Structure formats: structure tokens, C-alpha cells
Amino acid sequence: MAYGSSALSDQCSFEPFWWSAAPLEAREAIEELPSSADVAIVGAGITGLVAALHLARGGRKVVVLDAGPPGHGASTRNAGYVGRTLKHGFGELIDAHGLDFARAIYGELMEAFRAVKATVSEEKIECHYRQQGRFLMATSPAMYEAMTREFSLRERHLGEPFSAVSRAEQAREIATRHYFGGVRIDDHAGLHPGLYHRGLLMAARKVGATVIGHASVHRIAGEAGAFQVVTRRGRISARDAIFATNGYGDGAWPWLRRRVMPFDAYQTVSAPLGEARVRDLMPADRTYIDWNFNVDWMRRVPGEPTRIVFGGLTGSRDQDLPIMAERLRLRLFRIFPDLGDLRFDAIWTGKCGGTFDLYPHIGRHDGIHFAVGYCFAGVPMGTLFGIKLARRILGASGGESAFERPLPTMPFYWGNPWFVPAAIRWMGRHDR
Ligand SMILES: Cc1cc2nc3c(=O)[nH]c(=O)nc-3n(C[C@H](O)[C@H](O)[C@H](O)COP(=O)(O)OP(=O)(O)OC[C@H]3O[C@@H](n4cnc5c(N)ncnc54)[C@H](O)[C@@H]3O)c2cc1C
């Protein structure tokens, strides 16, 4: 089919598609700020809410504050992939740090993966969670070879099975010749990000956590045991404090801002294509993602089998969404040349949080706890780190983490990630 005119449908929205099934709270719902709490949490995304849920269940008086409505950050903007993803390969970690370190890191990725499944089941969150499997695509024959080597290592040392799918066989996973085969991991899962977040919000409130939107935190003064949380709507005294701000961190904690780089990711949802056409494109109904550093990803929309999700161009700083929609549609057209007539009913952007060493981090500095830097995998890692933060404050076992290591910064980096587009271009060249 020929490539058509505009990428946007007439009713195209520039907000996350997920908000139609799980709307953000209206401003009227704003609650009064309490004057004190045992624990104050900055950020009401997955990390902050999971920490609040477990702390409140452990008997702590918890207040979660968000600058916008709870969930307006990446937690309701993502693709809902639940896997065991890290920007450092298992083989790379063995070579650089030895097998024990690699096992500890990847063991925790598995813990995070399981934490989502357990949370969905224990809190009875209806969010289309399903272990539908993931298909990771190679964009060159050399990448296919590298992937099979990497996943063979994981199978041998971690006992995680996979299937190598050659280019000749890949049509049963995805209807394109664009890729050079790939790797299928059967137990990886997908969910609806809006519904997962809403379920966490309801669960945290049900056990007594106070979650307040439109209450931007300006700074936290004092020290552990006697913090003063200064917000645009007043002060709260708190014994403990957590920053769960990931890619949305602002000047409220300059130390953290110097260590987490925000970078934009873009995602679309198509206008309805018809169930049969979607099934033809993605017959195996997996979550699909290529194995580049800067990835393209696609899946059927959970709960709406007539549409597809497509995302990519991470790190581009061109915020003009119609232009980004056009660029994304061209990328999608290269993968599925039959989609020349495709239009988007939604395109939006969200901020991921990257770290200079490309690891997620959990830790404590100046008495304040934090968990950030998920580098695109915060659905499972944010869930796990939320649990671990709560355990640390409750003094319970299980709060330790292989990801607790010094959180690096760069000289002259104060929070403006001007170099991200150049770095992403460099990674693109590396991918090619
Ligand atoms: C397009 C896109 C697709 C993605 N796809 C996936 C995926 O498929 N799977 C996956 O695992 N991960 C994915 N990610 C990453 C994932 O969404 C994030 O890692 C995760 O949501 C981080 O959750 P969080 O709770 O730590 O932070 P966020 O959900 O980003 O929340 C941070 C919150 O902190 C608040 N905040 C910041 N500063 C202040 C302040 N001073 N005062 C008060 N509040 C403040 C913000 O308002 C925000 O609500 C994707 C991200 C994007 C953008």
C-alpha cells in the first residue's frame, strides 16, 4: 500500500491513550496536606506508590506528594512491557565483573519481574496482565548471532529458557521481513500501564496512605528523623523521606538531579485497523521490541485488539508531536509496508530516567532514600525498588540490593541533558 498523507487521524489526541481507560484524577480531588507523617514520598508513580503501599501496611503514616495528578509521569505513559531488561548484557557483566556479580544483578531482575506478578495478584489489579511472551528482533545477521550467544549464556547460568527464531521462521511471530530473526522468551508479560497505576493508587489508599496531587515539593530540609518537606502548599514534618521522581526530577533535590538524565520517549496508538489485520501483523500476540540500544517497540493494545501500539525515537528532543508522529509512521511503514494508510489516534511523550553508568539505583544520601534511573525498565524495577525502600524503612529483611552502588555524575552536569540527542545518535550509529 502507498504511503498516505497525514500521520494523525482527525480525532488524534496528544495525551497517553491509557488515560481513557484510567483517567487521571481531576483537580477537585485535591486533599488537605497533613502537618506530619512518618514517611514523606516525593513522586506518585509506580515506585512511590508501591513504597507507600508496603509502608502503610507496615503501620507507618505515609504521605505521597506529586507535582501533578498522581500518575502523570512515565508510569501511565509507558508500553506496559514486563520483562528482565538491563542496558548491560549478562555476558558483558561476566566479562567485566565476574559471574557472581552478573548472577546477582540478573537475579534481581527476575525478582523484579516476579514482584509485578505478585503485586497484580495480591492487590487484585485488573490491568490485562498476561504472560504473552516477548519477541526480540535482530536488525542484522550479526545481531542475531550476538543475541543467541547472550541468551544461551543466560539459559546456562540462570536457567532462563529461550527460543532462537530464524528469519525464515519469524513470520509466525511477526509479519515482516524487516528483521533478521530474533529471540522469543515465553514468560515475559505485558499489562495496561494506566490500569496498573490506578490499581496501585487504590491499593495504597485502601491501606491508609495519603496520596496528594498538585503538591510540588520545593525541597527537603533537616535530617533523618526530623525532615521538613517544603511544598507549594505548606510544610510537612516527616521522620523519613523518599525521592521516587525518576525522569521527572526537578530542582527539589539538586544532588539527585545531577545524577539522573531525563530523556524523552515517544509512543503512539493507531486508529482501529480491524482485529483480523492486527492479528495478521502480530500473529503470536507478543510484546515486540528490537535489540538495538535505541529501540523500536510494538504490540497489540491490551484490551483493544483492533489497535497497535508503536514507540521509538527515544532521546529526540523535537517535542513537536505531529512531527514525531510523522517520523514514527515512517519507521513503522518500513517495518510493515502494508500500513501506508495507518493513522494515529494518539501520540504522546514521557520522560525516562537514565544514569551515567546505565544501571538503576537504589540508595540513601543525606539521610534521604531514593530509587531512580530505570533506563526504560521501571515497571518491574520500580515495583521491586518500591518494596525494597519500604523494607529498608520498616527495618525488615529483603531491602538489600545488588543495585546499591555509588550513583555517578559528570563534571559540569547540573541537570540539563543537552548531550542526550548526540549520545543517542552515536548509539544509533553503533546499532547500525
Ligand atoms: C514512552 C515510554 C515507554 C516506556 N515503556 C516501558 C515499558 O514498556 N516497560 C518498562 O518497564 N518501563 C517502560 N518505561 C519506563 C517506565 O515507565 C519508568 O521507568 C517508570 O514509570 C518510572 O516510574 P517512577 O514511579 O519511578 O517514576 P514516574 O512514574 O516517572 O513518576 C515520577 C513522579 O515524580 C513526580 N515529581 C517529580 N518531581 C517532583 C517534585 N519536586 N514534587 C512532587 N512530585 C514530583 C512527577 O510529577 C512524577 O509523577 C517507558 C517510559 C516511557 C516514557
Side-chain angles (χ1 to χ4, degrees):
M1 190 164 297
Y3 186 72
S5 53
S6 167
L8 309 179
S9 71
D10 290 343
Q11 63 274 14
C12 184
S13 144
F14 298 107
E15 288 189 340
F17 182 79
W18 316 124
W19 292 359
S20 54
L24 297 185
E25 287 180 349
R27 243 191 130 86
E28 300 79 79
I30 292 174
E31 276 182 65
E32 280 304 304
L33 240 52
S35 59
S36 69
D38 295 328
V39 188
I41 301 177
V42 188
I46 294 170
T47 310
L49 290 179
V50 172
L53 168 64
H54 289 270
L55 283 162
R57 198 165 268 152
R60 296 296 190 277
K61 184 178 174 197
V62 185
V63 60
V64 189
L65 303 161
D66 203 291
H72 85 113
S75 294
T76 62
R77 294 169 184 270
N78 61 69
Y81 286 31
V82 185
R84 300 181 281 278
T85 306
L86 187 72
K87 288 292 181 195
H88 297 281
F90 186 68
E92 177 202 330
L93 293 189
I94 295 176
D95 290 347
H97 307 286
L99 183 58
D100 286 349
F101 179 82
R103 273 213 175 107
I105 291 287
Y106 271 74
E108 213 164 306
L109 296 184
M110 179 57 100
E111 207 187 324
F113 173 74
R114 290 186 177 138
V116 177
K117 185 174 186 177
T119 302
V120 166
S121 138
E122 282 157 21
E123 309 307 330
K124 300 185 178 48
I125 301 177
E126 290 184 12
C127 60
H128 302 285
Y129 176 89
R130 199 158 61 85
Q131 287 183 270
Q132 62 196 103
R134 180 171 305 180
F135 188 56
L136 292 150
M137 293 86 72
T139 54
S140 67
M143 185 182 282
Y144 179 69
E145 295 302 319
M147 288 169 84
T148 48
R149 273 198 306 278
E150 165 73 12
F151 284 91
S152 300
L153 270 180
R154 294 191 200 180
E155 186 170 58
R156 173 146 35 103
H157 294 292
L158 302 169
E160 294 182 16
F162 77 102
S163 306
V165 179
S166 69
R167 194 178 195 205
E169 301 163 317
Q170 80 184 358
R172 62 170 189 250
E173 297 291 336
I174 185 165
T176 175
R177 296 282 297 158
H178 184 73
Y179 298 108
F180 291 80
V183 156
R184 190 181 71 233
I185 309 167
D186 285 333
D187 68 341
H188 276 205
L191 51 70
H192 184 299
L195 295 175
Y196 183 52
H197 179 271
R198 194 175 64 177
L200 293 174
L201 180 61
M202 285 163 63
R205 283 184 171 148
K206 199 162 147 198
V207 293
T210 303
V211 185
I212 304 182
H214 307 283
S216 183
V217 171
H218 293 330
R219 65 193 166 89
I220 296 190
E223 58 192 45
F227 285 119
Q228 282 291 311
V229 182
V230 183
T231 84
R232 63 185 283 259
R233 292 172 43 207
R235 283 172 178 250
I236 302 173
S237 51
R239 278 212 304 272
D240 287 292
I242 293 175
F243 265 73
T245 49
N246 203 38
Y248 287 78
D250 51 18
W253 192 6
W255 180 84
L256 194 61
R257 195 176 193 197
R258 287 200 62 200
R259 285 161 174 81
V260 182
M261 285 168 287
F263 54 96
D264 300 304
Y266 298 85
Q267 193 160 272
T268 63
V269 162
S270 71
L273 294 167
E275 222 169 302
R277 202 163 167 211
V278 170
R279 210 179 312 118
D280 287 349
L281 294 171
M282 301 177 193
D285 190 13
R286 315 267 178 217
T287 56
Y288 299 86
I289 190 162
D290 67 42
W291 213 51
N292 284 323
F293 191 93
N294 193 9
V295 285
D296 287 335
W297 64 93
M298 65 212 79
R299 65 180 297 200
R300 298 187 196 173
V301 169
E304 281 208 45
T306 68
R307 301 173 185 270
I308 61 169
V309 175
F310 181 66
L313 295 175
T314 303
S316 309
R317 292 189 82 188
D318 188 351
Q319 299 276 355
D320 185 313
L321 289 175
I323 291 175
M324 297 311 282
E326 192 53 47
R327 291 179 59 193
L328 281 169
R329 193 166 68 118
L330 268 169
R331 288 182 89 82
L332 190 56
F333 184 59
R334 281 212 304 268
I335 300 165
F336 298 120
D338 285 348
L339 287 186
D341 61 337
L342 178 131
R343 300 285 176 274
F344 296 129
D345 267 358
I347 170 158
W348 68 95
T349 181
K351 287 185 193 307
C352 300
T355 52
F356 287 101
D357 61 5
L358 298 177
Y359 285 97
H361 283 261
I362 181 169
R364 198 174 186 191
H365 181 81
D366 285 345
I368 303 174
H369 296 269
F370 63 85
V372 289
Y374 301 118
C375 301
F376 232 67
V379 176
M381 289 309 290
T383 303
L384 181 68
F385 281 180
I387 295 170
K388 286 190 179 290
L389 288 168
R391 286 181 181 155
R392 285 165 183 231
I393 290 173
L394 293 169
S397 62
E400 63 287 345
S401 169
F403 291 95
E404 179 155 16
R405 45 212 324 268
L407 177 52
T409 183
M410 290 272 267
F412 309 114
Y413 180 66
W414 305 104
N416 174 15
W418 55 268
F419 48 83
V420 164
I424 296 281
R425 274 198 300 281
W426 182 85
M427 287 162 197
R429 274 202 294 281
H430 175 264
D431 285 341
R432 279 198 292 281

